[in-house]
Amino acid sequence: MATFLYKLGRLSFRRRHFVALIWVALLTLAGVGAASAPAAGNSSFSIPGTEAQKAFDLLEQRFPGTSADGATARVVFKAPSGEKMTDPGNKATVKETVKELSDGSEVVRVTDPYQAKAVSKDGTIAYAQVSYKVSGMELDDAAKDALKDSAQDAREAGLTVEIGGDALQAVPHTGSSEIIGIAVAAVVLVITFGSLVAAGLPLLTALVGVGIGVSAITGLASALDLGSTTSTLAMMIGLAVGIDYALFIVSRYRAELAEGREREEAAGRAVGTAGSAVVFAGLTVVIALVGLSVVNIPMLTKMGIAAAGTVAIAVLIALTMVPALLGYAGRKVRPMGEKGKLLGRAKKQDRPAKPNLGTRWASFVVRRPVAVLLLGVIGLGAAAVPATSLELGLPDDGSQPVSTTQRRAYDLLSEGFGPGFNGPLMVVVDAKNSDDPKAVFAETGDEIKGLKDVVTVTPAQANKAGDTATITVIPGSKPSSVTTENLVHGIRDAGTGIKADTGANVLVTGSTAMNIDVSEKLNDALVPYLVLVVGLAFLLLIVVFRSILVPLKAALGFLLSVMAALGAVVAVFQWGWLSGLMGVEQTGPVMSMMPIFMVGVVFGLAMDYEVFLVTRMREAYVHGEKPAQAVVTGFRHGARVVTAAAVIMMAVFAGFIGSSESMVKMIGFGLAIAVFFDAFVVRMAIVPAVLALLGRKAWWLPKWLDRALPNVDVEGEGLRTRTDRGDEDRELVRA
């Protein structure tokens, strides 16, 4: 592989006009496609195989034309102090608001609070529910404006009015912190390279790659039913790995220049060596992201595949566009150790250069491996302790900032009707195979009334055929509570007995039941996903490092860092530690997708640093150095660059903490802290300590396996042979 990539790097350097033209054309094509594509709607959220999804599908079949997937809005009214919503003046205002809400072309129906008995017992709070034909992301701006205007008219009449539901759903924004993250990355690159040109190359290529990836996602969003979060996460991951991959290529290029090679040769060798590491690091990320499909949640699968596509583009750009731009930069990218005008030129010294920080740190770890190993493991173990209290759920209006009307409507409904009113359960009774459907509907309602934590059970509403009915159940506890989860399981257990007696199916659905099913499905899929992803990456790393213990150590180190990161997420988003600093206004359960998504993404990123750092160590070991010295050599060449790459990735991920979307905020924080733990504790401390303790055993591989494995030559041994042969030929010519 190293030889092929070496030729590709030289070709890209030499044919830089052609390579640059191709990438600019792809960026333009993707941009035009995104601009001309229809706007993406709200990605459909389905969980195949769950009871909640089966009930939802049954509703679509037995209750046609009800727009079960359409947007809803709850317009919540609160009377002024000392008044009631049943007072004539307030009642007239609500009636007029309901009439205004009914005029919209996309409105299916609006419930009158007084006819639907949607007035609190104390008479101070009432609500009207608006149902639409289309989803919240597909609603016209005119319909949203009409909803807001109607509420404003009621406010001007003296009522407190807030709007809940998904009708006002908006595309999440990340805010200025994303730009700050990129700015931090730029500063780190300038400090690392000491040159604006060299620092600008990774930023430019990463932006081109993300531009192509996100534009392609935007262009295909409508056709493939991709949600707005998909492009945000693809941007987050693509930007981080794009900068890092280009950083490693440029750093190796400068190192090759420092050894006296010509620029084209240096570009070829940089792509042949560091580029090989980029390919395998990118493959681990792609495997981890594509592996999310095993969970069988379409939205998560699409997110993973879209992000994996952006990573693949980042790898291709690093292998082709980076050497092409190095050709354009010429002498403005200087050899390693030679600083440009920005930071001052390096002064020549007669005495030997002082060992860099990476060398000094690695030497310390090699001398004290046990102490460093214990300190690192105990520290990560302590950080992981909060993960034992992990509670999973999906965000609802209760997790919105208190400044939003959705959150205020949520709080008003809790105040007037109880906390469980924001998470009603819909029970679907399929009595098609029953002799007396009406009796089954009544029996089901009576069974549910006898369960704990049930506040209200509405009479069964049958379809036209009379064989299926819906029953709404209001729990006594909030949607994300364990008590509500127990109630869902209690209804399902009661349904099993009803089916045995009558042959009718009793299914529980609704957003609360859907969230519970998602959490359970994700928990069940976590172990198979870990086995698949870690297993495939383990095999890949055996090929890269030609070792058994090094990949095993890499996998165990990853588990430590991801558990510590999950612990930090629980501490901030569930317990509320430093929540003000992170902009978390409402603590609660951790998003259900967070553990499995973090496992996938963090594993891929963790293997990045493992490949980049340990490849240099193996390269030194293969070329004759002792194991301990090889560890120091790997750090001398790679520690500075890996540190810069980790800081950049942390800055990019942390930039998404400013997002208005709670899911994106949580993922941004989780990935940033995971990179910190993995890069600076696992890869910089635990890895060299373990390798120092293992010695030559770290690179042991059974002979039969050594013969069976393909030789991918990540260390560039073939390039060294090629160079040596070329040097001998030049000596013969001179002779």
Side-chain angles (χ1 to χ4, degrees):
M1 174 178 284
T3 302
F4 169 75
L5 293 178
Y6 165 81
K7 294 177 180 178
L8 179 63
R10 293 196 63 168
L11 179 65
S12 299
F13 186 95
R14 195 164 53 247
R15 304 295 185 190
R16 47 188 171 272
H17 302 307
F18 179 69
V19 172
L21 183 62
I22 289 178
W23 285 113
V24 170
L26 288 175
L27 179 61
T28 304
L29 184 64
V32 171
S36 59
N42 190 27
S43 179
S44 59
F45 188 77
S46 62
I47 309 96
T50 61
E51 180 172 314
Q53 186 64 45
K54 291 176 182 176
F56 185 83
D57 295 339
L58 185 65
L59 285 174
E60 291 281 321
Q61 178 185 348
R62 302 286 175 85
F63 292 82
T66 57
S67 300
D69 58 346
T72 59
R74 278 180 172 177
V75 183
V76 188
F77 307 90
K78 184 175 183 179
S81 179
E83 299 182 18
K84 293 184 180 294
M85 289 305 304
T86 51
D87 293 345
N90 294 334
K91 194 171 183 178
T93 300
V94 172
K95 291 279 188 182
E96 181 61 29
T97 303
V98 169
K99 183 180 178 181
E100 291 180 18
L101 291 170
S102 303
D103 293 338
S105 60
E106 294 182 321
V107 175
V108 176
R109 63 183 174 275
V110 182
T111 60
D112 186 312
Y114 304 102
Q115 295 178 3
K117 298 181 180 180
V119 181
S120 63
K121 290 182 179 180
D122 61 5
T124 60
I125 297 174
Y127 73 92
Q129 182 152 316
V130 187
S131 300
Y132 294 90
K133 298 177 183 177
V134 296
S135 66
M137 293 296 288
E138 295 171 320
L139 266 184
D140 289 339
D141 290 338
K144 294 181 180 181
D145 292 340
L147 180 61
K148 295 175 184 176
D149 292 342
S150 299
Q152 185 59 36
D153 291 342
R155 290 189 188 104
E156 293 174 357
L159 298 177
T160 298
V161 186
E162 304 296 346
I163 305 171
D166 59 353
L168 295 182
Q169 185 176 3
V171 176
H173 62 273
T174 55
S176 59
S177 56
E178 178 188 349
I179 306 301
I180 295 174
I182 296 176
V184 171
V187 171
V188 173
L189 288 169
V190 169
I191 294 174
T192 302
F193 292 135
S195 164
L196 286 175
V197 174
L201 286 180
L203 278 177
L204 176 60
T205 54
L207 290 174
V208 170
V210 168
I212 294 173
V214 173
S215 296
I217 291 170
T218 304
L220 297 172
S222 179
L224 300 181
D225 190 27
L226 303 177
S228 57
T229 307
T230 304
S231 59
T232 304
L233 296 176
M235 181 192 304
M236 181 192 303
I237 297 170
L239 193 61
V241 300
I243 294 175
D244 277 9
Y245 294 166
L247 168 64
F248 285 112
I249 299 288
V250 175
S251 297
R252 189 59 184 253
Y253 172 76
R254 296 177 69 231
E256 297 295 334
L257 288 179
E259 294 183 10
R261 292 187 172 85
E262 295 295 329
R263 294 188 176 274
E264 183 179 326
E265 175 68 15
R269 289 183 63 85
V271 175
T273 51
S276 297
V278 165
V279 169
F280 283 100
L283 275 175
T284 59
V285 180
V286 169
I287 288 172
L289 291 171
V290 173
L292 290 171
S293 58
V294 303
V295 183
N296 197 26
I297 293 180
M299 186 182 78
L300 195 59
T301 300
K302 293 171 185 176
M303 287 166 54
I305 292 175
T310 308
V311 172
I313 292 172
V315 171
L316 292 174
I317 282 183
L319 299 178
T320 56
M321 190 175 183
V322 169
L325 293 182
L326 288 172
Y328 283 116
R331 297 185 178 277
K332 292 180 180 178
V333 176
R334 300 176 180 276
M336 186 171 290
E338 181 181 333
K339 298 181 180 179
K341 295 180 180 179
L342 186 63
L343 297 179
R345 297 185 182 279
K347 295 180 180 179
K348 293 182 179 180
Q349 298 178 342
D350 295 332
R351 58 184 180 181
K354 182 181 178 181
N356 61 22
L357 181 60
T359 302
R360 298 197 300 273
W361 168 250
S363 300
F364 169 77
V365 174
V366 168
R367 291 196 305 271
R368 302 284 188 272
V370 176
V372 172
L373 178 61
L374 289 176
L375 187 62
V377 171
I378 292 172
L380 290 178
V385 169
T388 58
S389 302
L390 177 67
E391 295 177 10
L392 298 177
L394 287 179
D396 54 19
D397 284 349
S399 63
Q400 296 272 6
V402 293
S403 59
T404 62
T405 185
Q406 292 95 329
R407 171 61 188 279
R408 291 195 293 266
Y410 181 97
D411 292 340
L412 284 177
L413 289 172
S414 296
E415 177 188 340
F417 302 93
F421 194 80
N422 284 293
L425 305 175
M426 180 177 287
V427 179
V428 182
V429 185
D430 178 9
K432 192 172 185 178
N433 298 324
S434 176
D435 296 333
D436 189 355
K438 289 185 179 180
V440 173
F441 301 154
E443 180 185 348
T444 303
D446 292 338
E447 285 280 347
I448 295 173
K449 287 177 183 177
L451 298 175
K452 292 181 180 179
D453 200 49
V454 173
V455 174
T456 305
V457 178
T458 65
Q461 301 292 321
N463 62 350
K464 290 182 179 180
D467 59 3
T468 308
T470 60
I471 301 173
T472 301
V473 181
I474 305 298
S477 304
K478 64 181 182 178
S480 58
S481 67
V482 176
T483 307
T484 301
E485 182 178 347
N486 292 336
L487 175 59
V488 170
H489 291 302
I491 296 173
R492 288 172 174 171
D493 291 341
T496 303
I498 292 172
K499 183 176 182 179
D501 295 338
T502 66
N505 282 325
V506 178
L507 307 173
V508 186
T509 189
S511 60
T512 302
M514 190 76 80
N515 291 351
I516 292 170
D517 287 351
V518 168
S519 298
E520 292 179 351
K521 190 176 181 70
L522 289 168
N523 283 337
D524 293 341
L526 185 58
V527 173
Y529 175 70
L530 267 173
V531 171
L532 173 68
V533 173
V534 176
L536 288 176
F538 181 78
L539 295 176
L540 185 65
L541 292 179
I542 289 178
V543 175
V544 174
F545 296 127
R546 308 194 77 78
S547 163
I548 298 293
L549 295 180
V550 171
L552 180 61
K553 169 221 25 116
L556 294 176
F558 150 73
L559 291 175
L560 273 175
S561 58
V562 79
M563 288 303 298
L566 275 176
V569 169
V570 170
V572 173
F573 290 88
Q574 188 175 309
W575 291 359
W577 294 5
L578 301 177
S579 57
L581 182 63
M582 298 297 167
V584 181
E585 297 187 21
Q586 179 65 31
T587 59
V590 173
M591 183 186 64
S592 298
M593 295 182 187
M594 192 67 189
I596 201 162
F597 190 82
M598 277 191 64
V599 165
V601 177
V602 174
F603 182 78
L605 300 180
M607 295 306 103
D608 275 5
Y609 301 119
E610 180 76 14
V611 170
F612 289 128
L613 195 59
V614 180
T615 297
R616 271 291 187 145
M617 297 178 190
R618 174 161 177 80
E619 184 177 340
Y621 177 75
V622 168
H623 293 154
E625 293 188 8
K626 294 182 179 180
Q629 183 57 40
V631 171
V632 176
T633 300
F635 267 77
R636 182 171 69 249
H637 292 293
R640 178 183 176 90
V641 179
V642 169
T643 300
V647 172
I648 288 169
M649 197 170 280
M650 288 167 56
V652 172
F653 288 148
F656 288 84
I657 296 176
S659 173
S660 62
E661 178 71 30
S662 59
M663 181 172 72
V664 175
K665 180 191 292 287
M666 190 179 294
I667 289 177
F669 171 79
L671 294 183
I673 197 70
V675 169
F676 172 78
F677 286 144
D678 195 84
F680 294 105
V681 181
V682 174
R683 308 304 153 189
M684 291 290 185
I686 293 178
V687 165
V690 171
L691 290 178
L693 288 172
L694 291 176
R696 295 186 181 276
K697 295 177 182 177
W699 308 108
W700 171 80
L701 185 70
K703 292 183 178 180
W704 64 268
L705 185 57
D706 187 35
R707 291 191 298 269
L709 291 177
N711 183 13
V712 295
D713 190 22
V714 177
E715 300 83 19
E717 184 63 29
L719 300 183
R720 174 173 291 233
T721 304
R722 170 190 290 269
T723 303
D724 293 343
R725 188 167 57 247
D727 291 341
E728 292 175 2
D729 292 343
R730 283 190 289 273
E731 289 294 332
L732 289 173
V733 170
R734 281 195 290 268

